[in-house]
Amino acid sequence: MVKIAPSILSADFSKLGEEIKAVEMAGADYIHVDVMDGHFVPNITMGHLVLKAIRPLTELPLDVHLMIENPDSYIEDFAEAGADIITVHVEAATHLHRTIQLIKAKGVKAGVVLNPATPVDAIKHIIHDIDMVLLMTVNPGFGGQSFIQNVVPKIKEVSELVQTHGLNVEIEVDGGVNAETAPLCIEAGANVLVAGSAIYGKKDLKDAINSIRGV
Ligand code: DX5
Ligand code: ZN
């Protein structure tokens, strides 16, 4: 069954602990943490101190999506703050292989993120070294944007790449995922779906998660 990773970017920050517990109780598989620096993306969110504060509040893996320049400089901070998965944008990493090794050396799962316009070719030569590919279906920076349907064939392309090599790489999709767009992602081969507004924007969190999961 596909995993669901609620994005706390859409949570009420004044009660972040409760908001995380609530999605955990509602059946979430990961907690997706969107880190933005105001340079790589035009928005600023949270840093490793917030991650450290939420770490003791949940048993779920913390899936940390770094939308920052110079990711190498911050990997140690996020690893030590308790990240279980760290994903870095290929567009922000000058020496991607080195960045991946830095993450793995910290005992953290490593993933690579592709913006909507970035071709799958960008990860072809690193696919054996990573645990996750994250495909953006919006331009990163904000929650609540519309799903870019033209990315769906890329999900399929990554899925075929992973299968061809017989690898154990998770395929995550992020941006505009809801009960209508989730089936397209699942059908194309995604096995982890991030959703912010389609979960935290709903009254019944369990119902929201189930409808994205398609159960
Ligand atoms: C966008 C973030 C997403 C965002 C998703 O830059 O990476 O994780 O929170 O929000 P929705 O699901 O509302 O598009
Ligand atoms: Zn994200």
Side-chain angles (χ1 to χ4, degrees):
M1 201 159 39
V2 70
K3 290 177 183 166
I4 305 295
S7 163
I8 56 170
L9 185 61
S10 293
D12 179 345
F13 284 7
S14 71
K15 46 174 187 169
L16 197 49
E18 288 166 45
E19 294 273 82
I20 289 168
K21 263 279 158 257
V23 289
E24 181 169 4
M25 300 296 287
D29 299 283
Y30 294 162
I31 298 295
H32 186 79
V33 182
D34 286 308
V35 177
M36 306 186 189
D37 66 350
H39 294 279
F40 179 67
V41 288
N43 195 9
I44 300 176
T45 56
M46 55 198 120
H48 69 280
L49 294 177
V50 173
L51 193 74
K52 192 176 173 191
I54 62 178
R55 176 65 287 179
L57 306 179
T58 179
E59 304 267 309
L60 295 179
L62 297 175
D63 167 29
V64 179
H65 176 191
L66 294 184
M67 285 160 275
I68 62 174
E69 285 180 2
N70 304 316
D72 294 18
S73 308
Y74 301 95
I75 280 160
E76 189 171 351
D77 286 344
F78 283 98
E80 281 170 10
D84 296 282
I85 307 164
I86 295 178
T87 58
V88 290
H89 273 261
V90 59
E91 304 86 4
T94 314
H95 304 287
L96 185 59
H97 185 269
R98 175 183 290 150
T99 308
I100 295 301
Q101 300 311 319
L102 276 174
I103 298 172
K104 297 204 328 192
K106 282 281 165 191
V108 175
K109 287 187 174 173
V112 174
V113 196
L114 300 181
N115 275 336
T118 304
V120 172
D121 262 5
I123 51 157
K124 221 165 129 184
H125 301 286
I126 197 124
I127 194 80
H128 292 88
D129 297 298
I130 58 181
D131 302 291
M132 175 184 269
V133 176
L134 170 50
L135 291 153
M136 293 308 298
T137 38
V138 296
N139 291 299
F142 304 94
Q145 303 181 82
S146 306
F147 186 83
I148 302 172
Q149 201 139 340
N150 290 341
V151 179
V152 174
K154 269 171 62 180
I155 305 173
K156 196 152 183 241
E157 224 183 299
V158 174
S159 169
E160 283 166 3
L161 182 67
V162 167
Q163 278 174 31
T164 306
H165 294 285
L167 300 169
N168 185 18
V169 177
E170 291 198 308
I171 304 172
E172 183 173 50
V173 176
D174 184 7
V177 175
N178 56 36
E180 285 72 51
T181 56
L184 303 172
C185 304
I186 297 168
E187 163 77 26
N191 41 35
V192 185
L193 300 179
V194 177
S197 49
I199 293 176
Y200 281 110
K202 296 282 159 63
K203 241 195 177 131
D204 187 333
L205 298 178
K206 193 169 186 172
D207 198 52
I209 288 176
N210 286 342
S211 61
I212 294 167
R213 219 195 290 270
V215 295

